[in-house]
Amino acid sequence: MRIEEHPILSFKRGREITIYYKGQPIKAYEGETIAAALHAAGIKVLNYSRVKKRPRGLFCAIGKCSSCLMTVNGIPNVRTCITLVEDGMRIEENKPVLPRDFGYDGDKKAKKVQADVVVIGGGPAGLMAAINAHDAGAKVVLIDENPMLGGQLVKQTHKFFGKREQFAGIRGIKIAEILEDEVKKRNIEVYLETSAVGIFQNGSEKLVVGVRKEKELIEFYGKAVIVATGAMEKTVPFENNDLPGIYGAGAIQTLMNTYGIKPGDKALIVGAGNVGLILAYQLIQAGVEVKAIVEAMPRIGGYFVHAAKVRRLGVPILTRHTILKAEGKEGVERAVVAEIDERWQPIPGTEKEFDVDLIAIAVGLRPSVELLQQAGCQIKYIRELGGHVAVRDEWMETTVRGIFVAGDTAGIEEATTAMLEGKIAGIAAALRLGIADESWIKEIEKAQRDLEEFRSGPFGRHVVEGIKKLLEALR
């Protein structure tokens, strides 16, 4: 299932190694995740549900769901979608028991890391926050639970819109490289494969508790914290929607565009927003046949340029349609869709069957606000921003002094707006701490004007309405 030829990407694989799945040797390459290596070997069933023993497979590929949990070297509940392979690694179906020894010395004191600003999340918002907080004079530490920086950028092969200074005309994968280089130039301390599990007040400081590689406890201390943890895939209810072979759109992009692995041979996409449309031609670039895109709304939700490209490639877009069920035993073998009426009910007799082994769910994202909620930030449901978000001001500061948000955590938008929000949050954190001088306010005001301009089109109006509701909650 490895992609050998691609019109845009070239995959530089690491050293070939051997991992063992249920005792059987599997070829893998250093730098790829366990789940990716198993998919390359054709293994899509990663575990089974505890009660009904239903097969489970990869869904989000960003460590935010439980579908990929497996037992690795005797350690249960390992998130195989973000855990890198190691030579000789032994992988089994998940065993829901605590091992006696999983490599953590309970008597060993946690490592302590001190900074002015702790940035959680290494996607476009977090990277820009770290860069700008540093440039404004703050000592910054950046943590991310993934094995590489860039967040969603590392899987985006399309070129961005907007202004030249906002990376217009540059592919997302290249933007990730540019921002990572900027972080390296500044010698910003970066901790990868490190999950933030809590934010606490510790006297005059904030304490972020992190766990690196599932076993090393690290305490990050800072006077300000910027939360840029991104978002989670939404899904839709339909029969057998838990079968292996049903993925969130981002997981498919990760397999294809980051690790060079085909997620399947024949695909159905649910959702005709920008993500679903872009995903269609990315799948075709990877050699996957896209049977159709189904969209419940009466019109396509994404940009015309993306829809036109997909249609030129011969992919039908079925509006006013929904998926009814997936069929198969250990994985997807077929998908059944139907037309829906004005009451969103399936119309009998309009069913269509597609022989596919891959169903992509591209119905949107919802902000990841769990850490913010745990830290005591006021949370409010704002439909226009994608769900529950933290109440914050124009400088991206939440109702808890010293905690800032940026990117999809603050509301679902584009990567361009995530970077601009990250810039604002980074500078604002340095200003609030008294580190940056007042001349930096002009940089915040410029970023705010750029945001206003970017949101001025028809796709940004609902976001503007959502932000107004947030600001009203502060009054």
Side-chain angles (χ1 to χ4, degrees):
M1 299 299 287
R2 295 188 187 278
I3 300 169
E4 301 301 334
E5 294 184 7
H6 195 282
I8 294 173
L9 303 170
S10 59
F11 302 105
K12 298 176 182 177
R13 309 194 194 279
R15 180 174 67 95
E16 184 178 321
I17 61 174
T18 301
I19 61 176
Y20 295 87
Y21 172 66
K22 296 183 178 181
Q24 298 299 310
I26 301 286
K27 181 173 73 173
Y29 293 93
E30 288 183 340
E32 67 185 13
T33 63
I34 297 168
L38 292 178
H39 270 69
I43 300 167
K44 290 186 177 183
V45 178
L46 304 182
N47 59 56
Y48 289 86
S49 65
R50 290 190 62 186
V51 178
K52 296 190 176 181
K53 306 301 179 185
R54 290 179 61 82
R56 291 286 183 265
L58 186 68
F59 179 75
C60 77
I62 53 174
K64 294 187 178 183
C65 73
S66 60
S67 295
C68 72
L69 296 181
M70 302 184 79
T71 295
V72 179
N73 292 337
I75 303 173
N77 301 324
V78 173
R79 294 174 293 174
T80 57
C81 68
I82 59 172
T83 303
L84 296 177
V85 294
E86 295 176 2
D87 196 25
M89 182 178 270
R90 296 190 175 274
I91 302 134
E92 305 282 343
E93 289 173 13
N94 203 35
K95 300 171 184 176
V97 294
L98 287 175
R100 293 182 179 179
D101 178 19
F102 56 93
Y104 174 67
D105 182 357
D107 296 327
K108 186 178 179 181
K109 290 185 178 179
K111 178 179 179 179
K112 292 177 171 55
V113 178
Q114 193 75 42
D116 295 316
V117 179
V118 179
V119 179
I120 305 172
L127 289 168
M128 284 293 284
I131 291 166
N132 283 276
H134 173 276
D135 290 355
K139 181 183 178 184
V140 180
V141 63
L142 173 64
I143 68 177
D144 191 282
E145 62 188 357
N146 290 287
M148 64 185 73
L149 290 174
Q152 299 300 306
L153 290 174
V154 301
K155 59 190 79 167
Q156 302 303 335
T157 59
H158 63 285
K159 294 180 180 180
F160 276 44
F161 301 133
K163 295 181 177 178
R164 183 176 296 179
E165 62 183 297
Q166 294 162 8
F167 303 104
I170 302 176
R171 300 185 193 279
I173 51 176
K174 182 61 179 177
I175 298 172
E177 292 175 7
I178 293 170
L179 294 180
E180 183 176 7
D181 286 344
E182 292 298 318
V183 166
K184 287 178 178 177
K185 284 178 190 174
R186 291 161 172 79
N187 293 316
I188 293 171
E189 200 170 0
V190 176
Y191 286 79
L192 294 175
E193 297 182 82
T194 303
S195 299
V197 297
I199 303 173
F200 307 93
Q201 192 68 36
N202 184 62
S204 61
E205 293 183 308
K206 301 286 189 295
L207 163 62
V208 177
V209 178
V211 178
R212 183 162 61 175
K213 295 187 176 181
E214 307 283 354
K215 59 185 178 182
E216 181 187 0
L217 190 65
I218 307 176
E219 295 176 354
F220 298 92
Y221 294 89
K223 293 182 176 64
V225 175
I226 299 172
V227 179
T229 48
M232 294 179 66
E233 298 270 7
K234 290 181 180 178
T235 188
V236 288
F238 58 91
E239 187 177 340
N240 287 332
N241 70 348
D242 59 344
L243 279 178
I246 299 173
Y247 306 85
I252 294 174
Q253 290 176 320
T254 297
L255 286 172
M256 293 189 306
N257 302 340
T258 303
Y259 297 113
I261 296 166
K262 282 176 64 176
D265 292 313
K266 298 177 181 179
L268 175 78
I269 299 174
V270 181
N274 282 323
V275 173
L277 297 171
I278 290 169
L279 182 64
Y281 58 81
Q282 289 180 343
L283 281 162
I284 292 169
Q285 287 170 339
V288 179
E289 181 184 357
V290 180
K291 292 287 191 177
I293 302 174
V294 297
E295 170 58 58
M297 297 294 287
R299 63 184 66 86
I300 294 166
Y303 293 132
F304 172 78
V305 63
H306 296 315
K309 187 172 185 178
V310 168
R311 281 179 166 146
R312 283 198 302 272
L313 292 169
V315 179
I317 302 174
L318 308 176
T319 56
R320 279 292 189 192
H321 279 71
T322 190
I323 182 167
L324 296 182
K325 62 180 176 177
E327 296 179 339
K329 291 191 73 176
E330 292 290 285
V332 173
E333 296 173 17
R334 282 173 304 282
V336 180
V337 307
E339 191 175 349
I340 57 176
D341 60 24
E342 291 76 12
R343 296 175 299 158
W344 303 88
Q345 298 301 307
I347 300 172
T350 64
E351 295 85 359
K352 301 177 182 67
E353 280 193 10
F354 293 95
D355 290 324
V356 295
D357 59 353
L358 166 62
I359 297 174
I361 307 299
V363 295
L365 304 168
R366 67 107 170 145
S368 293
V369 297
E370 292 80 5
L371 278 174
L372 294 161
Q373 195 165 28
Q374 174 269 318
C377 302
Q378 182 184 344
I379 305 295
K380 186 176 178 64
Y381 183 84
I382 306 290
R383 181 184 58 82
E384 294 88 346
L385 298 181
H388 288 92
V389 292
V391 175
R392 41 83 170 180
D393 63 18
E394 286 132 328
W395 279 19
M396 310 305 294
E397 189 171 21
T398 69
T399 53
V400 175
R401 186 82 171 177
I403 297 181
F404 298 78
V405 291
D408 280 348
T409 312
I412 307 302
E413 290 190 77
E414 306 271 353
T416 299
T417 55
M419 288 185 279
L420 289 168
E421 287 183 343
K423 179 178 180 178
I424 292 169
I427 296 171
L431 281 165
R432 291 282 196 235
L433 298 179
I435 296 169
D437 61 64
E438 291 186 359
S439 65
W440 282 94
I441 295 176
K442 292 181 179 178
E443 288 297 318
I444 288 181
E445 290 172 344
K446 182 181 182 303
Q448 288 172 333
R449 288 194 299 271
D450 288 340
L451 272 176
E452 187 177 348
E453 182 180 351
F454 196 85
R455 291 167 174 158
S456 62
F459 286 94
R461 287 174 190 162
H462 68 289
V463 173
V464 173
E465 287 301 313
I467 292 170
K468 284 180 182 176
K469 291 179 181 179
L470 276 186
L471 295 177
E472 287 170 1
L474 287 171
R475 293 172 187 165

